[in-house]
Amino acid sequence: MKNNRTFTMIKPDALENGHAGAILAHIEKAGFKIVAMKLKKLTAEAAKKFYKIHEERPFFNDLINYITSGPIIAAILEKENAVSDFRALIGNTNPQEAEDGTIRKIYAKSIDANAIHGSDSDENALIESNFHFSNGEII
Ligand code: GTP
Ligand code: MG
């Protein structure tokens, strides 16, 4: 994914708390263009595949229960330096440690329910995008 696209998921707590629209506006104001988007509820099987990299972590079961607890919005975003700029926009994994003005600082309350996901490399952005979208669904 040539350094200009990243994958994001607006997580169940953000939708449950009515922050989806504000978060999408925040993302667009920061210069990201939405090139694919869908609302879906992950099955446990899909969630375990998506988060396979974390399967040995002690919080894995909590993570799967949480991410399948309600709908998510999956999206592919385009901007120069998309992966690193988007990680900066969402802030630290733990909202308490996230910088002021970041999405997690504003909209998340805890490390386990932290409002939003952002890919951590170009390689993972491509893998995660292909996990959620087929070619015909991407502009
Ligand atoms: P993502 O963008 O969601 O991948 O977050 P991240 O890259 O900032 O963090 P990481 O990939 O290390 O962790 C993935 C997700 O696991 C986090 O976003 C949290 O939702 C969850 N997580 C991380 N650490 C903990 C923890 O200590 N406890 C719990 N319950 N969940 C955690
Ligand atoms: Mg991560």
Side-chain angles (χ1 to χ4, degrees), residues 12 25 39 53 58 62 78 83 85 87 93-94 98 109 117 129 136:
L39 180 90
I53 192 169
D62 289 342
E78 188 170 276
V83 167
D85 284 5
R87 295 283 288 188
T93 310
N94 184 350
K109 294 201 169 61
H117 162 83
S129 296

Side-chain angles (χ1 to χ4, degrees), residues 11 51 54 57 59 63 87 93 104 111-112 114 117-118:
K11 297 183 179 181
Y51 279 124
H54 297 307
R57 313 263 295 258
F59 57 82
L63 177 60
R87 295 283 288 188
T93 310
R104 281 170 170 162
I111 190 166
D112 44 298
N114 60 4
H117 162 83

Side-chain angles (χ1 to χ4, degrees), residues 49-60:
K49 253 189 230 165
F50 184 79
Y51 279 124
K52 190 163 179 38
I53 192 169
H54 297 307
E55 72 185 343
E56 303 301 331
R57 313 263 295 258
F59 57 82
F60 185 67

Side-chain angles (χ1 to χ4, degrees), residues 51-115:
Y51 279 124
K52 190 163 179 38
I53 192 169
H54 297 307
E55 72 185 343
E56 303 301 331
R57 313 263 295 258
F59 57 82
F60 185 67
N61 283 340
D62 289 342
L63 177 60
I64 300 305
N65 287 336
Y66 155 68
I67 207 70
T68 58
S69 66
I72 56 105
I73 292 173
I76 302 174
L77 304 171
E78 188 170 276
K79 183 183 182 295
E80 256 179 54
N81 300 316
V83 167
S84 56
D85 284 5
F86 195 72
R87 295 283 288 188
L89 188 74
I90 69 179
N92 194 289
T93 310
N94 184 350
Q96 259 91 55
E97 288 169 25
E99 302 71 13
D100 283 347
T102 59
I103 291 175
R104 281 170 170 162
K105 181 72 168 194
I106 299 169
Y107 298 107
K109 294 201 169 61
S110 68
I111 190 166
D112 44 298
N114 60 4

